[in-house]
Amino acid sequence: MIEKIVIVEDEKLNADRLKRLIGDIYPNAQIVAVLDSVTDTVDWFRNQEIPDVVLMDIRLSDGISFDIFEKVTIDCPIIFTTAYDEYAVQAFKYNSVDYILKPVEKEELSTALRKVEGLGSMMNNQISIDKLLHYVKPKDYRSRFLVPFRDGYQTILVNEVNCIYVDLKLTKARLKSGKDVVLNQSMDDLEKQLDPRIFLGQIVSSLFRLML
């Protein structure tokens, strides 16, 4: 039974969403801590009892959450919740039982928590090849973006993007609908994350049409 949960998330909207979903799924579970940085998480786990499960974002305010495991031992299941799919394989090195892309949906989180519950006191660190292939093959390159929208986030698929440009130091995507959205990634990061065989062609074509 899951009784104690720790959330590691640096965005309040996402943390509040997780707390709300957990309350719906496990109303009797206690969220013992909500931590927003690598430093605070390391300090907390050095001084507190290990919870039943940790819900952990990957990019935190002061670094990557994988750095936490280099400084402190966390012997409980981890459910990673993140907007970035490129860390999936690496995440399974750290007691991960699931990897959920934001925005986290209730059904996905419920499935992940039931998986933790099914483990009982035994933590299975072995990853099946099928599970790895599920993340590695389809997601070699970024397929979507998560951008702020009203009081939450919305998903923008890569194939909805006409071109990407920098405006006043902000990275922006112009959608095929004509709307511009601000992206959290830098142009350098996007060069590594986007499939150059597809996306570069889209950018060149779009810029050419814009110049006309």
Side-chain angles (χ1 to χ4, degrees):
M1 179 180 293
I2 296 176
E3 297 180 346
K4 296 183 178 181
I5 300 174
V6 168
I7 296 174
V8 181
E9 169 62 64
D10 66 338
E11 296 185 20
K12 187 177 185 302
L13 281 175
N14 289 328
D16 289 344
R17 180 181 179 84
L18 289 174
K19 288 191 288 185
R20 186 169 63 253
L21 293 176
I22 291 169
D24 291 341
I25 300 166
Y26 283 101
N28 295 323
Q30 179 185 4
I31 299 173
V32 295
V34 178
L35 310 165
D36 63 3
S37 68
V38 171
T39 300
D40 287 349
T41 304
V42 170
D43 289 344
W44 192 91
F45 277 97
R46 280 176 176 167
N47 297 289
Q48 303 293 332
E49 292 183 2
I50 298 296
D52 297 309
V53 62
V54 179
L55 275 60
M56 184 177 289
D57 191 9
I58 291 182
R59 291 194 180 184
L60 301 174
S61 58
D62 59 349
I64 301 296
S65 62
F66 299 143
D67 297 338
I68 296 167
F69 300 94
E70 304 300 322
K71 301 175 182 178
V72 67
T73 299
I74 303 178
D75 290 325
C76 71
I78 310 293
I79 298 172
F80 285 99
T81 61
T82 177
Y84 305 95
D85 54 17
E86 61 265 31
Y87 297 106
V89 174
Q90 189 176 357
F92 281 105
K93 298 178 182 178
Y94 302 103
N95 289 1
S96 175
V97 296
D98 217 328
Y99 189 97
I100 304 176
L101 292 176
K102 296 176 181 177
V104 177
E105 300 296 338
K106 182 177 178 180
E107 184 177 347
E108 290 180 302
L109 182 58
S110 178
T111 298
L113 290 172
R114 302 296 179 194
K115 193 181 301 182
V116 171
E117 194 172 46
L119 291 175
S121 60
M122 299 296 294
M123 181 63 204
N124 182 5
N125 291 314
Q126 299 299 315
I127 317 281
S128 69
I129 293 177
D130 288 342
K131 182 105 180 182
L132 287 174
L133 290 177
H134 171 74
Y135 286 104
V136 174
K137 284 190 175 179
K139 298 178 179 178
D140 285 338
Y141 293 101
R142 174 179 289 278
S143 61
R144 65 180 187 171
F145 299 97
L146 197 67
V147 299
F149 181 71
R150 295 178 182 172
D151 60 346
Y153 293 86
Q154 71 174 133
T155 298
I156 303 294
L157 299 179
V158 165
N159 60 19
E160 297 179 58
V161 176
N162 218 7
C163 64
I164 295 176
Y165 62 97
V166 175
D167 180 27
L168 298 177
K169 297 184 179 181
L170 294 175
T171 305
K172 297 183 178 181
R174 176 159 297 175
L175 308 184
K176 292 179 180 178
S177 64
K179 179 181 177 181
D180 289 347
V181 296
V182 177
L183 304 178
N184 293 326
Q185 298 77 23
S186 68
M187 290 294 279
D188 287 341
D189 287 340
L190 290 176
E191 285 182 4
K192 301 172 185 176
Q193 297 172 11
L194 295 172
D195 187 346
R197 297 169 299 178
I198 299 174
F199 204 79
L200 182 60
Q202 291 178 348
I203 294 175
V204 172
S205 175
S206 299
L207 290 177
F208 180 74
R209 289 200 300 273
L210 287 172
M211 288 187 291
L212 292 178

